[in-house]
Amino acid sequence: GAFFKALTSRSEEVVAVAKEGLAQVIRQQKLQKELLQSSLRPILLNLADYRKLTVPLLHRLSRLLQLLSNFFNVTLGEKLLEHLRRWTDPECLAKIRANSRPGDDVKVATAIIELFHLLPPAPAKFLDSLVNITLSLEALLPGTAPHGRSWSPYRSALLLFMNRHATEAVVYFLERLSRPAHARLFVSLVAHADGRPLRTELASDGKRFVLASFKLPQQSAATLTAEQWWGVRFAALQLCRTIAKNDPSWLPANHMVLACLVEAWRSPERQERLRRESNQTLEHARESKLLVKCFLAYCRATRADAPMD
């Protein structure tokens, strides 16, 4: 019981000692069910009401999950999602902000998202909801542009979950590259310094990547507008650039991907956009720059001439 109580301390040293002590107890003997229930009850009672959620409370739950995740089930995750949806309701969010210090609403929502990578694995149950809630939360942040944000505290928290479930996350996002908000979010997560597990998973299957982007099956491509199709290809170019930058051996080892980049460089559509340069969007203007950076990465890795001639 003393270890559980010490986990609430504001002293990092006390918390560290308590975590180590509780970990040893767990390793050496099975925790008594009555002790566990009595120790968790105060936290679980506060979790029942979103108005009682605080950053210290959520951090305490985080410490417990790091040690006792197998004592929890998906019900906890479902309750946390229910609370998070309160933060995406403008009316409810206004009440939360009125009863808390400035910025606490963002800190509490971020701390909730950070818990999900510690829960027992259930990516199929939480992945889609977490992504959509993150995008909704970002839209309510002050100063958010119409096309969304490049980064936020919510994305840092979400990345923890995505890294833990990288395989499921990559499949999920590759199926949604035609959705601008999802594509931009995926590109930012993969490019982040801490996104290595996502990058590794994405880079592990060049054919899967190509068939989800540059060479969509005809049946899938037929359902997209010209703007959506462009969005898929532009996201793919950004992802290629990120992977090639972080793993110079990737493009030389994936001729299928390289061939797609060469095809994009030679495409009549790109040539036509260059002729209408004054009317180009910012993304269209970046297309050639991204392609050149990919080709330069290939040349540096192989000491070969550029492959687009």
Side-chain angles (χ1 to χ4, degrees):
F3 288 133
F4 283 101
K5 189 174 181 179
L7 288 175
T8 65
S9 173
R10 294 187 178 184
S11 167
E12 291 297 326
E13 291 182 1
V14 172
V15 169
V17 171
K19 283 178 66 177
E20 179 56 31
L22 189 55
Q24 288 189 20
V25 170
I26 294 170
R27 284 194 297 266
Q28 295 173 6
Q29 63 187 64
K30 189 175 180 180
L31 280 176
Q32 294 179 358
K33 187 176 180 180
E34 294 77 14
L35 173 61
L36 185 62
Q37 289 177 339
S38 64
S39 300
L40 293 178
R41 191 173 294 115
I43 293 180
L44 297 179
L45 285 174
N46 283 323
L47 282 176
D49 186 347
Y50 76 95
R51 291 166 296 189
K52 294 182 179 180
L53 297 182
T54 63
V55 172
L57 172 71
L58 293 166
H59 283 176
R60 183 184 178 193
L61 179 57
S62 173
R63 294 162 191 152
L64 287 172
L65 283 170
Q66 291 172 35
L67 298 168
L68 303 164
S69 64
N70 58 320
F71 286 89
F72 295 88
N73 55 38
V74 295
T75 305
L76 175 58
E78 292 168 350
K79 191 64 180 177
L80 293 172
L81 282 179
E82 180 185 320
H83 290 330
L84 272 175
R85 291 189 178 98
R86 301 274 189 177
W87 268 255
T88 65
D89 180 342
E91 185 177 333
C92 191
L93 181 60
K95 293 179 181 177
I96 292 171
R97 286 174 173 169
N99 294 301
S100 61
R101 291 177 299 180
D104 275 4
D105 58 302
V106 175
K107 293 177 182 177
V108 170
T110 299
I112 295 174
I113 298 173
E114 285 177 346
L115 293 173
F116 279 86
H117 80 287
L118 299 171
L119 294 173
K125 195 165 188 65
F126 299 131
L127 201 155
D128 184 57
S129 294
L130 278 176
V131 167
N132 290 317
I133 287 174
T134 296
L135 292 172
S136 297
L137 288 169
E138 287 186 336
L140 294 170
L141 281 174
T144 297
H147 64 275
R149 304 180 74 89
S150 58
W151 200 254
S152 74
Y154 304 130
R155 294 194 184 200
S156 297
L158 181 68
L159 184 56
L160 296 171
F161 182 85
M162 296 300 163
N163 280 340
R164 183 181 180 192
H165 305 291
T167 300
E168 293 84 357
V170 166
V171 170
Y172 172 87
F173 279 110
L174 286 179
E175 292 174 349
R176 291 163 176 79
L177 289 182
S178 61
R179 303 181 188 181
H182 286 72
R184 286 192 292 266
L185 174 59
F186 186 42
V187 167
S188 72
L189 293 174
V190 171
H192 195 272
D194 296 328
R196 184 174 180 179
L198 277 181
R199 287 193 296 273
T200 300
E201 176 60 32
L202 180 60
S204 68
D205 191 338
K207 182 178 180 181
R208 175 185 64 182
F209 174 66
V210 166
L211 292 178
S213 54
F214 296 109
K215 298 289 185 182
L216 277 174
Q218 189 172 2
Q219 188 175 359
S220 299
T223 65
L224 302 182
T225 64
E227 186 177 355
Q228 288 175 319
W229 177 229
W230 158 255
V232 170
R233 293 178 58 146
F234 184 69
L237 285 178
Q238 292 175 289
L239 293 168
C240 281
R241 165 60 183 149
T242 294
I243 299 173
K245 180 180 178 181
N246 286 276
D247 181 4
S249 68
W250 184 67
L251 275 177
N254 285 274
H255 300 292
M256 192 176 183
V257 177
L258 184 64
C260 289
L261 296 176
V262 173
E263 186 178 325
W265 179 266
R266 294 172 175 169
S267 71
E269 292 85 2
R270 192 183 76 87
Q271 304 303 324
E272 178 60 27
R273 284 193 287 274
L274 290 175
R275 280 191 286 271
R276 295 184 286 106
E277 191 171 359
S278 60
N279 298 323
Q280 280 189 333
T281 65
L282 181 60
E283 288 187 348
H284 285 146
R286 289 184 59 202
E287 176 189 25
S288 296
K289 185 177 181 180
L290 286 167
L291 283 166
V292 168
K293 286 188 173 182
C294 287
F295 294 140
L296 287 174
Y298 171 83
C299 293
R300 290 192 195 99
T302 62
R303 306 286 182 180
D305 293 331
M308 62 275 206
D309 297 329

